[in-house]
Amino acid sequence: LLDLLTVFGTCNEIPWSCGDPLDYHGYEYETVQIGEQCWFAENLRAEVYQNGDGIAQRESDDDWSQAHQTTTGAWCHPNGEPMNTELYGRLYNHWVVMGEREVCPVGWHVPSDADYIELEVFVGMPLDVAHQEGARGAPVGNKLKSIEGQEVSWQGLDEYGFAWVAGGWRHVGGSFGYTHSLGLQLFLPSEESNGAPYGVRQVVDTQPDLGRYFLGNAGDGRSIRCIQDSE
């Protein structure tokens, strides 16, 4: 019997399923199933790539700007304050996701434009609206934002458990903006991106829409969510 348990494990072992916490580099991320997709229910805060290589921390304005000039993937604390990482996760420049190294766990990836469009359509945005650029699709933004009273409160409805939070952004030159009032998540281009090299999804403090933008600079800092690979 002992040998059989050694080979096959015990009956108490329960396989991981979406909705369970997922340990990644020593931190347990909340996850959520939305339609056919499984998402992190909080922003990434990893300091290393999937393979364990370190991501450069760049806190000073000059160091942050230099990371872009050398096409170096970098992270920083929102508004330069470690306490904000506890609330919102870390900010990453786009070079983190434009190279060959993955930053999400094995079996997961940084979402593409198509991944976000699938999410938006599932929660009620018409498909033709989802393909538009700019602020669109109200009240989908509110449906995905964190709600007051949650661990990280915001002014949304959080109808699906996505718990979109703020965190703001960092300009390529180093300045920070909208740390507690703007939620920006970077995404990878896909066939829907019209050749753009990178993009941003955005929700705003008191507005119900959700923005889709191909603008800014690869050296700007945004938040990252991870999504599980489809089978």
Side-chain angles (χ1 to χ4, degrees), residues 141-158:
N142 270 355
K143 290 182 178 182
L144 296 175
K145 283 191 289 187
S146 177
I147 195 169
E148 290 186 19
Q150 288 179 301
E151 185 174 352
V152 182
S153 296
W154 212 7
Q155 299 170 337
L157 301 173
D158 198 28

Side-chain angles (χ1 to χ4, degrees), residues 11-88:
C11 296
N12 293 327
E13 292 180 354
I14 301 175
W16 183 91
S17 62
C18 189
D20 295 337
L22 180 72
D23 184 271
Y24 182 51
H25 292 312
Y27 178 84
E28 288 199 343
Y29 290 88
E30 297 297 325
T31 65
V32 62
Q33 184 81 35
I34 305 178
E36 298 298 318
Q37 298 176 314
C38 184
W39 290 83
F40 275 18
E42 53 187 303
N43 292 337
L44 189 68
R45 58 184 66 209
E47 300 177 53
V48 297
Y49 291 97
Q50 182 189 103
N51 66 1
D53 291 346
I55 304 171
Q57 181 181 5
R58 296 290 184 262
E59 296 295 345
S60 75
D61 291 355
D62 287 344
D63 286 348
W64 182 260
S65 180
Q66 182 65 22
H68 172 60
Q69 295 172 34
T70 57
T71 67
T72 300
W75 68 266
C76 66
H77 298 295
N79 207 37
E81 300 171 1
M83 69 179 66
N84 286 328
T85 289
E86 296 301 312
L87 295 173
Y88 307 125

Side-chain angles (χ1 to χ4, degrees), residues 11-216:
C11 296
N12 293 327
E13 292 180 354
I14 301 175
W16 183 91
S17 62
C18 189
D20 295 337
L22 180 72
D23 184 271
Y24 182 51
H25 292 312
Y27 178 84
E28 288 199 343
Y29 290 88
E30 297 297 325
T31 65
V32 62
Q33 184 81 35
I34 305 178
E36 298 298 318
Q37 298 176 314
C38 184
W39 290 83
F40 275 18
E42 53 187 303
N43 292 337
L44 189 68
R45 58 184 66 209
E47 300 177 53
V48 297
Y49 291 97
Q50 182 189 103
N51 66 1
D53 291 346
I55 304 171
Q57 181 181 5
R58 296 290 184 262
E59 296 295 345
S60 75
D61 291 355
D62 287 344
D63 286 348
W64 182 260
S65 180
Q66 182 65 22
H68 172 60
Q69 295 172 34
T70 57
T71 67
T72 300
W75 68 266
C76 66
H77 298 295
N79 207 37
E81 300 171 1
M83 69 179 66
N84 286 328
T85 289
E86 296 301 312
L87 295 173
Y88 307 125
R90 292 181 162 87
L91 300 182
Y92 302 87
N93 67 17
H94 290 255
W95 296 112
V96 167
V97 302
M98 293 171 71
E100 296 182 356
R101 290 174 292 187
E102 300 292 337
V103 71
C104 291
V106 174
W108 299 69
H109 61 275
V110 175
S112 69
D113 189 20
D115 288 327
Y116 273 107
I117 286 175
E118 181 176 341
L119 172 68
E120 292 161 345
V121 170
F122 182 82
V123 301
M125 188 182 297
L127 181 60
D128 62 329
V129 175
H131 281 280
Q132 297 174 9
E133 294 186 37
R136 78 274 196 266
V140 168
N142 270 355
K143 290 182 178 182
L144 296 175
K145 283 191 289 187
S146 177
I147 195 169
E148 290 186 19
Q150 288 179 301
E151 185 174 352
V152 182
S153 296
W154 212 7
Q155 299 170 337
L157 301 173
D158 198 28
E159 293 182 2
Y160 297 87
F162 192 81
W164 198 319
V165 295
W169 73 302
R170 190 174 194 182
H171 185 267
V172 62
S175 60
F176 292 93
Y178 307 101
T179 301
H180 303 292
S181 61
L182 191 66
L184 295 167
Q185 297 177 10
L186 63 83
F187 63 86
L188 297 176
S190 60
E191 294 178 359
E192 291 79 7
S193 306
N194 300 319
Y198 50 83
V200 183
R201 284 304 201 280
Q202 170 180 301
V203 293
V204 183
D205 207 356
T206 58
Q207 298 178 17
D209 47 33
L210 195 161
R212 173 180 182 251
Y213 299 99
F214 302 98
L215 48 74

